[in-house]
Amino acid sequence: MVPVVFVHGIRLSGAAWSGQLELLGHPAKAVDLPGHGIRRGERFTLAAAADAVAEAIGEPALVVGHSLGGYVAIAAAARYPERVAGLVVAGSTFLPGKALETPFRMAHRLLMRLPDQGERLSRWQFRSALPPKLAEAVIGGGIATEVIPDVAKAFADFDVLAALAAYPGPTWLVNGSRDHFRRHERRFLEACADGRLINVPKAGHYLPMVRGEEFAQLVLDAARSLSISSVSPERSGSC
């Protein structure tokens, strides 16, 4: 099967995918985006983030992104379509704009006013929402609250539907049925050159981490379908 490259959400790191890396039993890696994880302190831009994803890809890969990582995965696929065999975009079908930017900027201001810049509150949030082992991995990878303004700025002019339409390969849009980021999923699906939409009942925004086994199966199914299509007569040119 094609390898998998995972792209994390805002403030997190590749450690957010540690559960998926254990579950897959398949060649996979997780990147740290600029301003996050081991690249904390670097300036986040959409171009630099897309480049980070492309640099992590050896042979063409299935790129799997969650939340911020889903948008970055779309940007990388539009910029480097020859490197992206397929896309899985999870919790990333809300159109960027003021409705998305304003609450993130407000949250950043509130957190940065706290003595520890919200570190304690953020740790409590992840320990409350995620399985214990994964929560500790996420916390250990670092929580980059300071990156929020750069991310908001980077997405101010990002035409995500145009980027998605520019990518010719297969795309899986995966949302929890209770995820507030699924608001524009139909518009995202219409923009896909080759898209399919999957809604997971009773799941929220942290679907890939909270419902790890289910999500891993979705990723494996996508990877298998890419491997099958790559050797089909139509793709290989044989009769």
Side-chain angles (χ1 to χ4, degrees):
M1 291 189 290
V2 297
V4 178
V5 172
F6 288 107
V7 192
H8 61 79
I10 192 169
R11 302 198 301 153
L12 306 184
S13 70
W17 294 108
S18 58
Q20 289 295 305
L21 294 176
E22 289 181 7
L23 285 166
L24 280 187
H26 175 75
K29 64 176 71 172
V31 302
D32 281 349
L33 296 176
H36 300 78
I38 61 172
R39 301 184 65 171
R40 202 167 173 181
E42 294 182 26
R43 189 70 180 268
F44 180 94
T45 68
L46 194 54
D51 288 347
V53 174
E55 288 164 7
I57 298 173
E59 60 183 294
L62 174 66
V63 178
V64 180
H66 173 238
S67 197
L68 168 64
Y71 295 102
V72 171
I74 292 170
R79 193 178 178 99
Y80 301 101
E82 72 285 353
R83 301 191 191 185
V84 180
L87 276 177
V88 174
V89 176
S92 314
T93 54
F94 194 114
L95 289 173
K98 288 296 181 184
L100 189 59
E101 178 183 352
T102 300
F104 275 102
R105 288 192 180 277
M106 290 178 61
H108 174 259
R109 284 197 293 270
L110 290 172
L111 289 170
M112 296 304 281
R113 287 174 184 169
L114 297 174
D116 63 351
Q117 299 184 338
E119 182 74 15
R120 188 174 176 183
L121 179 60
S122 296
R123 291 184 178 197
W124 173 85
Q125 173 194 0
F126 292 120
R127 284 178 174 142
S128 299
L130 305 180
K133 182 178 178 181
L134 183 55
E136 296 311 312
V138 165
I139 292 167
I143 304 170
T145 299
E146 71 279 0
V147 81
I148 292 176
D150 280 348
V151 172
K153 181 180 179 181
F155 280 83
D157 300 318
F158 180 40
D159 189 342
V160 64
L161 295 184
L164 190 57
Y167 173 61
T171 300
W172 289 261
L173 304 174
V174 181
N175 287 321
S177 65
R178 298 173 178 170
D179 189 351
H180 53 290
F181 273 81
R182 60 174 291 207
R183 180 175 177 182
H184 303 114
E185 60 186 19
R186 290 289 169 185
R187 293 183 65 180
F188 276 69
L189 182 62
E190 290 168 3
C192 293
D194 178 11
R196 61 278 293 151
L197 175 63
I198 300 170
N199 281 315
V200 179
K202 300 181 180 179
H205 187 61
Y206 288 123
L207 163 66
M209 292 177 274
V210 175
R211 305 268 286 268
E213 291 186 3
E214 290 175 69
F215 191 78
Q217 189 59 57
L218 290 171
V219 171
L220 284 172
D221 289 346
R224 288 190 184 106
S225 72
L226 292 174
S227 298
I228 291 170
S229 65
S230 69
V231 298
S232 68
E234 182 178 337
R235 292 288 295 272
S236 65
S238 61
C239 296

